[in-house]
Amino acid sequence: GWSGLLDVNIGRRDWRVSPIVAIDNADDLVEEYSGFGVRVEARNTGTEELGFGIELATYDADWRDATRAALAPGSAALLYDRRSTVAPTISLAFTPHLHVTGGVSITQLEPDESIGGPGRAANAWVGSAGYDRRWHTDRMRQHLDATFGVRAGSGSLESDLHYERYVGRALYDAGWGRQAIVVSGFAAAQSNTVFVGSLARSCGMKE
């Protein structure tokens, strides 16, 4: 089989709409998931430094038999069948290359049909800092894109899951003529792990 996650940016300098389509995606979470979403961003709301965004998404999960077998006793209720998320954010640009974003992610987890039980809320405060810069010389073009993000499930948002997750990503590419080199890295850490792995992307699970 095959899987994939399509995240396409459509728009202009002041606004952007990003449709998101997932088909049996298993690249970033323990479970496979399929579904769709959309992210809308307004980058110029009276001042170029301030922007607003919102992401709406819904995904259906497919759990592998090996994952189910690895569950600790009493943990089966953590499996979910569908997750739906609304995530409004505010962004502030300190420079054309450096920006910070903060907001909330409100996620509802519907229980796995084979287990039943009540749904769960996986609501979290989210924040990130990013640096994105491109520069050119007569012979070389370069691009650096780095982000550091925090997600914290909190009882203050009436979340049933409490955790803290930290994620860092970086990508550097350089090109000259028809030649190019790309180097990327990813690191993640989490406290109060709720399941086998770490929570990721609207409270899914990552190995």
Side-chain angles (χ1 to χ4, degrees):
W2 61 278
S3 66
L5 179 66
L6 177 64
D7 189 343
V8 179
N9 296 322
I10 303 171
R12 302 176 60 183
R13 182 175 181 272
D14 295 340
W15 61 271
R16 181 169 62 182
V17 178
S18 303
I20 305 168
V21 179
I23 302 174
D24 295 332
N25 187 44
D27 295 334
D28 55 343
L29 307 180
V30 169
E31 72 274 20
E32 292 184 357
Y33 62 93
S34 301
F36 60 91
V38 62
R39 183 168 56 250
V40 181
E41 298 171 275
R43 299 181 173 183
N44 189 350
T45 55
T47 171
E48 293 186 357
E49 290 78 20
L50 187 64
F52 297 92
I54 186 169
E55 181 174 330
L56 309 173
T58 180
Y59 300 105
D60 294 324
D62 184 13
W63 299 90
R64 300 182 182 91
D65 292 339
T67 303
R68 293 177 181 272
L71 283 171
S75 298
L78 293 176
L79 298 179
Y80 69 91
D81 186 58
R82 175 175 295 177
R83 56 186 164 100
S84 302
T85 298
V86 178
T89 57
I90 298 176
S91 298
L92 178 64
F94 293 103
T95 73
H97 310 295
L98 178 64
H99 67 274
V100 296
T101 299
V104 296
S105 176
I106 307 301
T107 298
Q108 183 66 29
L109 304 178
E110 298 182 11
D112 188 89
E113 292 182 354
S114 64
I115 299 171
R120 289 173 175 261
N123 306 328
W125 298 103
V126 295
S128 65
Y131 183 85
D132 189 352
R133 183 177 181 181
R134 299 177 184 270
W135 64 99
H136 303 266
T137 64
D138 292 340
R139 296 184 178 181
M140 181 177 290
R141 59 188 183 277
Q142 301 179 76
H143 176 215
L144 175 63
D145 185 2
T147 60
F148 176 78
V150 179
R151 175 183 292 267
S154 173
S156 64
L157 295 174
E158 300 184 356
S159 177
D160 296 316
L161 307 180
H162 298 171
Y163 63 94
E164 295 177 1
R165 187 171 192 269
Y166 308 90
V167 178
R169 295 182 176 88
L171 181 146
Y172 171 79
D173 65 80
W176 52 96
R178 296 185 177 180
Q179 307 298 318
I181 183 172
V182 178
V183 180
S184 63
F186 171 88
Q190 178 166 318
S191 63
N192 298 331
T193 301
V194 177
F195 190 66
V196 182
S198 305
L199 296 172
R201 283 193 69 90
S202 303
C203 211
M205 317 293 180
K206 180 176 179 64
E207 292 179 322

